[in-house]
Amino acid sequence: GKSLLELGGNNAIIVDEFANLDLAVPAIVFGAVGTAGQRCTTTRRVFVQESRLAELESRLARAYRQVPIGDPLEAGTLMGPLVDPGAVRQFEAAVAQALASGGRLVCGGKPLDRPGFFVEPAIVIARSDWEIVRTETFAPILYMIPYTTLDDAIAMQNDVAHGLSSAIFTDRLQNAERFLSHTGS
């Protein structure tokens, strides 16, 4: 017989100090909210070089506030609903746990007051060692985690039990090669 496997993922993008944010921001937004966070390759963690944190935070927050949320069958909608009321409760619990761990909510994080299981996609400034960050939540929560060196970012990115996809945004060839090497992602 045929098998269908839903393999979990806690997927990451690294944004280094040389990254072109005009390319990175739309890719991060689509990867994190394009299916309301309910895909095994959803972007859940963004490791951002600390010198770029404020700029990326500002640009992502602005983009998140413009995400068209609604019927996914309608043209122009980027994010549809969560699958059921339980998913909405899990979303709220994950945001609450991230904040209780010391996270800072940048935007979103609440259910929308309308019919269906719609939520505001959330961005949380976090740390990679928090249990909630290491847990796959099938919901549109993006954890932004600052780092100092590329080696730190790669180590944190790889330090999860399940990571199906990864990416780097850089305009520096050496960093791209390091990321793609056997000691990288």
Side-chain angles (χ1 to χ4, degrees):
K2 294 183 180 181
S3 297
L4 175 64
L5 303 175
E6 202 314 305
L7 304 172
N10 199 346
N11 311 293
I13 293 176
I14 295 173
V15 176
D16 78 1
E17 63 268 35
F18 307 102
N20 179 336
L21 296 187
D22 290 338
L23 297 175
V25 169
I28 292 167
V29 172
F30 182 77
V33 304
T35 54
Q38 300 171 112
R39 180 183 70 236
C40 57
T41 54
T42 291
T43 303
R44 301 191 191 291
R45 301 173 297 147
V46 169
F47 295 98
V48 56
Q49 209 287 327
E50 57 197 11
S51 67
R52 304 297 300 274
L53 177 64
E55 182 183 7
L56 184 60
E57 176 184 335
S58 173
R59 290 179 70 167
L60 282 174
R62 187 169 44 252
Y64 264 51
R65 289 184 184 104
Q66 297 175 35
V67 168
I69 301 170
D71 183 341
L73 300 177
E74 290 182 11
T77 297
L78 178 60
M79 190 179 112
L82 296 182
V83 68
D84 61 25
V88 174
R89 287 190 298 274
Q90 284 182 300
F91 167 80
E92 291 178 293
V95 170
Q97 186 177 347
L99 298 180
S101 296
R104 179 171 55 84
L105 185 64
V106 173
C107 64
K110 297 182 179 125
L112 293 174
D113 186 20
R114 64 169 141 177
F117 311 117
F118 296 95
V119 298
E120 298 173 338
I123 299 173
V124 177
I125 305 297
R127 290 181 32 147
S128 68
D129 59 347
W130 294 345
E131 185 61 34
I132 191 60
V133 173
R134 302 174 64 77
T135 301
E136 180 187 34
T137 304
F138 254 45
I141 304 170
L142 180 68
Y143 300 106
M144 287 185 62
I145 302 160
Y147 73 87
T148 304
T149 70
L150 182 59
D151 285 341
D152 293 340
I154 290 171
M156 288 185 290
Q157 173 198 268
N158 291 337
D159 188 31
V160 291
H162 46 279
L164 288 179
S165 69
S166 61
I168 187 169
F169 280 89
T170 183
D171 280 350
R172 189 168 188 203
L173 184 59
Q174 293 144 320
N175 287 358
E177 288 177 348
R178 168 75 175 94
F179 177 81
L180 293 171
S181 77
H182 71 284
T183 59
S185 173

